[in-house]
Amino acid sequence: MMKIGSIEWFEKLNEMTKFPSYFAFYLLQKDDTKSIAVKIVESKAKDADGIKYGALTPTLALLLTGSSIALIDVSNVNDANEYYKKIKTLTDKWDIEVIDEKDMVV
């Protein structure tokens, strides 16, 4: 099991993700379970305010989870450390316990 924030986790994140990128962060809730889902936003916008709404809509996979979905943040993230800090900030703010990679959808 890969621990979030571990060296292995950072290596996998850097392998899977091109930085800098815009990310949309969603709060998913089903019954009493909350989680964070993340989508890379394809946009040529110079800042998050310039991103068109259509680029922020949740993916079909997220919509099919049966969860309530709320867009909670859109950020331009420059590197894996900044991504990690953003995830930690959002999970603390929304009172989500993140244990391992299965708790985060990327």
Side-chain angles (χ1 to χ4, degrees):
M1 195 172 281
M2 189 185 329
K3 183 175 175 19
I4 291 177
S6 68
I7 292 171
E8 181 184 15
W9 182 84
F10 276 105
E11 288 171 351
K12 188 71 169 173
L13 179 62
N14 281 315
E15 178 183 307
M16 293 174 26
T17 309
K18 179 184 170 193
F19 291 103
S21 288
Y22 284 105
F23 290 86
F25 298 87
Y26 303 92
L27 175 67
L28 287 82
Q29 183 164 358
K30 188 170 186 175
D31 301 322
D32 291 334
T33 304
K34 292 189 283 187
S35 60
I36 297 276
V38 183
K39 171 185 168 184
I40 296 175
V41 178
E42 300 294 331
S43 177
K44 294 180 182 176
K46 293 185 186 300
D47 59 35
D49 291 336
I51 296 173
K52 295 182 180 180
Y53 178 76
L56 301 175
T57 56
T59 63
L60 182 58
L62 286 179
L63 294 172
L64 293 175
T65 64
S67 301
S68 298
I69 303 170
L71 178 65
I72 56 174
D73 193 76
V74 178
S75 295
N76 186 20
V77 179
N78 293 306
D79 58 38
N81 286 324
E82 190 176 329
Y83 179 90
Y84 176 75
K85 289 176 187 173
K86 176 61 76 175
I87 290 293
K88 292 297 286 173
T89 299
L90 292 173
T91 55
D92 290 347
K93 180 178 183 175
W94 293 96
D95 193 30
I96 299 170
E97 184 177 348
V98 177
I99 299 167
D100 60 55
E101 82 281 358
K102 70 179 173 35
D103 294 324
M104 291 178 27
V105 179
V106 177

